[in-house]
Amino acid sequence: MSFPDPVQVFRTEAAELLEQVEAGLLDLNHDLGDKEQIDAVFRGLHTLKGSGAMFGFEALAAFTHHCESAFDQVRKGTVPASHDLVNAVLGATDHMRALIEVPGGNHDAVSEMLLARLRTAVDSVGKPAPAVPARPAACTYRLRFQLPVNAMANGTNPIGLLDELRDLGDCRIVADRSTVPALDDLVPTDLHIAWTVELMTEQPRSAIDDVFIFVMDDMQLDVEVITGAGPTTGSVRKPAVEAVRPEAALPQDLPQVQSQPVAADLPAATRSAPAQADAKQAKNNENVRVPAERLDELMDRVGELVIAQSRLSQLAGVSGDLMLRAVSEDVERLSGELRDTMMVLRMVPVAHLFSRFRRLVHDLSIETGKTIELITEGESTEVDKSVIERLADPLVHLVRNSCDHGLETADERRAAGKPASGSILLSARQAAGEVIITIRDDGRGIDRDRVRAKAEASGLIAPNAVLGDQELLQLIFQPGFSTAQQVTNLSGRGVGMDVVKRTIDALRGTISVVSRPGEGSEISLAIPLTLAIIDGLLVRVGTGRYVIPLSAVEECLELSVEEDMRSRGRSFISLRDSLVPFIRLRDLFRTGSKPDQFQKVVVISTGSERVGLVVDQIIGDHQTVIKSMSKLHHDVASFSGATILGDGGVALILDVAHLVSAGQYQEAQLRAAG
């Protein structure tokens, strides 16, 4: 049995912590008085520092300590939160990632620069002279606490917690070992000791909660205020921990601890600690972190199983053995359920993708000097994880393009009667077997005259060529195309939109552009939900077999000989009082064979556009394991992939988006000719 690399586990958890810290900082930037976000950022930095020191990332721990200290001052009210401070810590999170990835690198110069920026941000805040508070009266508390059994295995150091309690004042600590098991049953990494602490301190009650802030949800903690304060003078005593026998866990001179803590002195989270610990433990048990490569490997095995099941079904279909048919049906059902379960495991909400752009828009707003607001919708929409990973770069280019080219400066927006702050909308929704991701801005829109002039100057189109609006707008995705008047750090080299086009084509997706002068632009990406296994409709055209993604199929109907002859030259069928263009796949694929007597029309759609595909035979539904096309067939636009059938043959998977576009283009040509 192989165990995960602890350092790699730390890196994974550190990445999640940094994402949480970054999200908290961005939220805090909108509301500098948000105490909840201040505490969340402080907790994240504190945990990252402690975990880094535990796993040997000393440079990370030392650097993070300064950021934590700055936010500790904010948390205590010594320093007010400011935009400069938030931006300084945001910049520091990028350096923390570098310290995690390359712990032995030479980071001293960058660390000093960032820490100087952090000190400037803290010192630049005008701090009023603090009033000298009256010396608070000392109060005595009795604490009884027990950490969860797996506390040490999870990185909690109980001695460190006791040291923090000692720092609060005069305390006496007693360890209760009554629950420690026999030596034969003892697990070295388990914690069975509880502690009783009598603490006399001038600190407020909240200081005790701060000691246990990172383990509060998983531990049992009772806090009691003891009547009568002890002496308030003299040096603070910090004795060692006393280990006593179970029967003498509490000394005679200590008053008995009440079975229930004083409710008035405890926050709700503390009063219900046992119940919260059980709920938190149950919640943690619901989630298991699995490496992505294992999911990919499992997906490959499921794909092979689906192909084998198809082979078994075909053999059972031609066999007279009823037992074989029964087994085949069971295997088909189970493989289908396993496939569906596997697909759910691979689905990831686009919120994981959209959250990356909050930081990007924040940085671009500072760099361009524009006030930009990012709005997200449909974050719960789920997409295959492999699709999510490949969408990151295209969306980065589109968002950067909207910030730099699309949105105007504040002065330009005011002159145009718009709010000074521009907005970018990122939205996602499902439509049949696709996810539609939209990037919309309320900027100046695309200047069609400049696009045409640039295209003519680059030789992409002939002078005065007649182009439809969508054809003209699609020119912005051509390699090297840019209408920027000067090259900046953000754009102007003409490579970004080309990357978008190539990536979306590789995902078998489509791009549509809508732009209104003075109102903004909208770019929609239609992407398949998954790139692994789909439900398909298996059809025959001539002697070849093809798969149509079942999610795109609306209905199937018969094409009579009379209607076939009547539609020659027009290629339209009447479907419930509307005309639907259709494509004869026999002609498109040049099969050279005669059509069957009873041809079928499969009506497919993407969004609101529909087209019919004329085939010879509809064989039936088919679980389709998608295989990539070879490089020799990469430019064949009618197909998006291939699959292996049960008899070992190969069926090509039709590219629905391309065929619908071809059908709509054919319809437009015929209407223009008519």
Side-chain angles (χ1 to χ4, degrees):
M1 179 178 179
S2 61
F3 293 92
D5 179 10
V7 174
Q8 188 56 45
V9 172
F10 164 72
R11 285 194 169 106
T12 301
E13 294 180 349
E16 295 176 358
L17 277 173
L18 285 171
E19 287 181 5
Q20 295 170 11
V21 168
E22 202 169 83
L25 289 168
L26 292 170
D27 288 337
L28 184 60
N29 220 14
H30 289 287
D31 181 6
L32 294 175
D34 192 334
K35 184 69 166 58
E36 182 178 344
Q37 293 300 336
I38 293 173
D39 290 340
V41 171
F42 172 77
R43 286 195 299 268
L45 293 171
H46 182 83
T47 304
L48 183 63
K49 181 192 74 172
S51 300
M54 182 185 306
F55 286 95
F57 290 78
E58 299 297 340
L60 171 69
F63 179 79
T64 307
H65 171 73
H66 295 284
C67 299
E68 176 203 13
S69 299
F71 259 85
D72 190 33
Q73 295 183 61
V74 175
R75 189 171 63 103
K76 293 177 179 178
T78 307
V79 173
S82 67
H83 294 294
D84 288 341
L85 177 59
V86 170
N87 292 334
V89 179
L90 270 175
T93 58
D94 295 331
H95 186 56
M96 293 175 194
R97 291 187 174 92
L99 292 171
I100 293 171
E101 292 303 320
V102 191
N106 185 8
H107 303 289
D108 293 345
V110 177
S111 296
E112 286 299 325
M113 183 269 292
L114 290 172
L115 291 179
R117 180 184 176 190
L118 181 65
R119 285 191 293 268
T120 300
V122 173
D123 296 340
S124 64
V125 180
K127 293 179 287 187
V132 178
R135 181 179 178 86
C139 188
T140 304
Y141 299 92
R142 176 173 296 123
L143 295 74
R144 178 175 173 80
F145 68 92
Q146 184 164 11
L147 300 171
V149 174
N150 61 349
M152 292 193 297
N154 290 337
T156 300
N157 182 3
I159 302 302
L161 299 178
L162 295 173
D163 287 340
E164 291 188 46
L165 289 175
R166 288 195 193 101
D167 292 337
L168 295 180
D170 189 0
C171 68
R172 186 178 184 185
I173 304 171
V174 178
D176 179 4
R177 301 179 300 177
S178 60
T179 58
V180 177
L183 184 60
D184 292 341
D185 300 327
L186 182 64
V187 178
T189 57
D190 287 354
L191 179 64
H192 298 280
I193 300 176
W195 286 273
T196 299
V197 180
E198 185 176 299
L199 172 66
M200 184 182 66
T201 179
E202 297 176 352
Q203 299 294 326
R205 168 69 177 78
S206 59
I208 298 175
D209 293 337
D210 287 346
V211 172
F212 302 103
I213 190 171
F214 300 109
V215 291
M216 183 74 76
D217 291 339
D218 298 324
M219 68 179 295
Q220 296 182 22
L221 173 65
D222 293 341
V223 181
E224 176 192 9
V225 178
I226 298 177
T227 305
T232 59
T233 61
S235 60
V236 175
R237 180 164 46 94
K238 299 183 180 180
V241 178
E242 299 180 19
V244 300
R245 299 185 307 277
E247 61 272 17
L250 294 177
Q252 296 298 318
D253 58 339
L254 286 181
Q256 295 296 314
V257 179
Q258 298 179 7
S259 59
Q260 297 294 331
V262 180
D265 295 328
L266 292 178
T270 306
R271 292 197 297 271
S272 59
Q276 285 194 350
D278 293 341
K280 183 67 175 289
Q281 187 67 26
K283 182 177 180 181
N284 289 340
N285 291 337
E286 293 175 1
N287 300 296
V288 179
R289 181 180 286 116
V290 179
E293 57 269 17
R294 294 189 182 178
L295 285 179
D296 293 337
E297 183 178 350
L298 182 57
M299 190 73 247
D300 292 338
R301 298 294 180 269
V302 172
E304 297 300 325
L305 176 63
V306 168
I307 294 174
Q309 173 269 316
S310 179
R311 174 64 172 161
L312 178 61
S313 297
Q314 186 171 5
L315 292 175
V318 298
S319 172
D321 190 338
L322 296 180
M323 292 295 294
L324 179 60
R325 292 188 178 184
V327 171
S328 173
E329 291 174 358
D330 286 341
V331 172
E332 182 176 359
R333 175 179 57 81
L334 292 173
S335 65
E337 293 174 355
L338 180 60
R339 181 206 64 172
D340 294 340
T341 302
M342 188 64 232
M343 297 308 301
V344 171
L345 288 176
R346 290 172 58 92
M347 300 301 274
V348 179
V350 296
H352 293 277
L353 178 63
F354 285 1
S355 61
R356 306 179 189 180
F357 295 99
R358 297 184 61 200
R359 172 68 185 280
L360 176 65
V361 170
H362 171 270
D363 292 347
L364 291 177
S365 176
I366 296 174
E367 187 170 349
T368 60
K370 303 173 183 177
T371 305
I372 307 173
E373 179 184 8
L374 177 66
I375 305 169
T376 57
E377 294 179 356
E379 295 98 327
S380 60
T381 304
E382 293 187 331
V383 190
D384 190 291
K385 73 171 190 65
S386 60
V387 177
I388 287 284
E389 293 166 357
R390 296 167 68 177
L391 276 177
D393 284 346
L395 289 181
V396 166
H397 288 296
L398 291 174
V399 170
R400 290 170 68 95
N401 195 67
S402 292
C403 292
D404 192 29
H405 287 302
L407 296 178
E408 311 95 331
T409 63
D411 292 339
E412 292 173 335
R413 293 180 65 84
R414 292 191 191 96
K418 297 180 179 180
S421 174
S423 66
I424 295 177
L425 171 68
L426 263 178
S427 66
R429 61 182 176 86
Q430 285 189 10
E434 295 179 324
V435 60
I436 311 298
I437 296 182
T438 302
I439 303 91
R440 180 190 310 151
D441 65 65
D442 62 348
R444 57 173 61 90
I446 298 176
D447 189 332
R448 289 162 174 77
D449 292 335
R450 290 180 62 184
V451 170
R452 173 178 283 278
K454 179 65 176 180
E456 292 179 355
S458 303
L460 296 175
I461 60 174
N464 302 319
V466 178
L467 297 177
D469 189 61
Q470 192 61 217
E471 291 179 280
L472 180 64
L473 294 177
Q474 289 288 332
L475 291 174
I476 64 175
F477 298 104
Q478 291 296 320
F481 190 93
S482 175
T483 59
Q485 297 179 350
Q486 60 183 2
V487 176
T488 67
N489 291 334
L490 298 182
S491 59
R493 294 175 175 82
V495 294
M497 304 302 273
D498 176 34
V499 171
V500 174
K501 177 65 174 174
R502 285 189 283 108
T503 304
I504 301 305
D505 286 346
L507 289 171
R508 307 193 315 274
T510 58
I511 306 175
S512 62
V513 184
V514 177
S515 181
R516 294 167 293 277
E519 297 181 19
S521 302
E522 177 181 305
I523 298 179
S524 297
L525 312 177
I527 311 295
L529 285 175
T530 179
L531 303 177
I533 301 178
I534 61 172
D535 284 319
L537 185 66
L538 188 62
V539 300
R540 179 179 60 82
V541 179
T543 58
R545 289 171 293 181
Y546 305 90
V547 174
I548 305 172
L550 198 57
S551 59
V553 176
E554 283 197 355
E555 58 184 301
C556 303
L557 53 127
E558 187 171 304
L559 181 66
S560 64
V561 177
E562 294 78 9
E563 191 166 12
D564 184 25
M565 296 300 296
R566 185 168 59 251
S567 62
R568 288 288 175 180
R570 299 296 297 176
S571 298
F572 282 94
I573 56 173
S574 177
L575 186 62
R576 289 184 292 277
D577 300 327
S578 64
L579 291 178
V580 176
F582 65 82
I583 299 174
R584 292 179 173 84
L585 294 184
R586 173 183 311 280
D587 298 337
L588 182 64
F589 299 154
R590 301 176 184 175
T591 62
S593 57
K594 293 183 178 180
D596 283 17
Q597 182 177 2
F598 301 103
Q599 298 181 85
K600 307 296 187 293
V601 179
V602 180
V603 180
I604 61 175
S605 66
T606 56
S608 60
E609 307 295 337
R610 296 190 299 172
V611 69
L613 305 178
V614 179
V615 302
D616 289 325
Q617 179 188 4
I618 297 175
I619 300 175
D621 65 316
H622 182 269
Q623 290 190 47
T624 305
V625 180
I626 301 175
K627 302 292 185 181
S628 300
M629 302 281 285
S630 71
K631 293 183 179 179
L632 293 176
H633 302 91
H634 180 72
D635 295 331
V636 181
S638 300
F639 308 112
S640 59
T643 188
I644 301 175
L645 302 178
D647 59 1
V650 175
L652 296 175
I653 303 171
L654 299 182
D655 189 329
V656 171
H658 173 78
L659 293 175
V660 169
S661 298
Q664 295 298 322
Y665 178 76
Q666 175 179 290
E667 176 187 8
Q669 294 292 97
L670 291 173
R671 291 185 185 279

